[in-house]
Amino acid sequence: VQLQASGGGLVQAGGSLRLSCTASGSAFSLNSMGWYRQAGGNQRELVATLSSEGRPHYADSVKGRFTISGQTAKNTVYLQMNSLKPEDTAVYYCHGDVLLAATDYEIPYDYWGQGTQVTVSS
């Protein structure tokens, strides 16, 4: 299973960016998909997730500004980021909570895409 993320870039404060992530492979399904970010030497932190039932969950720091959408059944998730702030600057990672046919779709595994840089200038 591979997760491919795209859409990062440089934007001024107050601007918008949209990230996309697609999972590919065979014999898998997704419990959830989402986005995490890591800035400098900080720990990777949750930004937003989308469950297989379509329920979103957001970090408090992005509520009201970011919107996660997509469908795990279609192996695709998006993150619309509005009203960006300099503190949103980070490498953003797509994450999948993956169930594999090899383990009867019973054990979730963490899969990560490559990071995509988001830089917000003040």
Side-chain angles (χ1 to χ4, degrees):
V1 178
Q2 292 187 326
L3 276 67
Q4 181 70 39
S6 62
L10 172 64
V11 65
Q12 288 189 330
S16 299
L17 284 173
R18 187 176 189 239
L19 305 183
S20 300
C21 179
T22 299
S24 62
S26 61
F28 75 99
S29 64
L30 289 155
N31 255 345
S32 67
M33 292 184 77
W35 296 92
Y36 288 69
R37 67 186 181 188
Q38 188 169 19
N42 295 337
Q43 286 190 330
R44 193 172 296 187
E45 63 177 10
L46 180 146
V47 177
T49 60
L50 187 68
S51 74
S52 57
E53 294 82 16
R55 287 192 300 268
H57 172 73
Y58 298 97
D60 287 343
S61 59
V62 307
K63 282 181 181 177
R65 301 187 299 121
F66 291 10
T67 301
I68 191 168
S69 64
Q71 293 184 19
T72 59
K74 295 185 177 181
N75 301 335
T76 302
V77 68
Y78 307 97
L79 186 68
Q80 178 66 41
M81 304 185 292
N82 298 330
S83 302
L84 281 160
K85 305 175 181 180
E87 51 263 43
D88 294 318
T89 296
V91 177
Y92 283 69
Y93 295 91
C94 179
H95 172 265
D97 193 37
V98 176
L99 301 173
L100 300 174
T103 50
D104 296 328
Y105 300 101
E106 292 181 354
I107 302 173
Y109 296 93
D110 290 322
Y111 278 77
W112 297 92
Q114 88 287 3
T116 184
Q117 178 71 46
V118 171
T119 302
V120 185
S121 64
S122 57

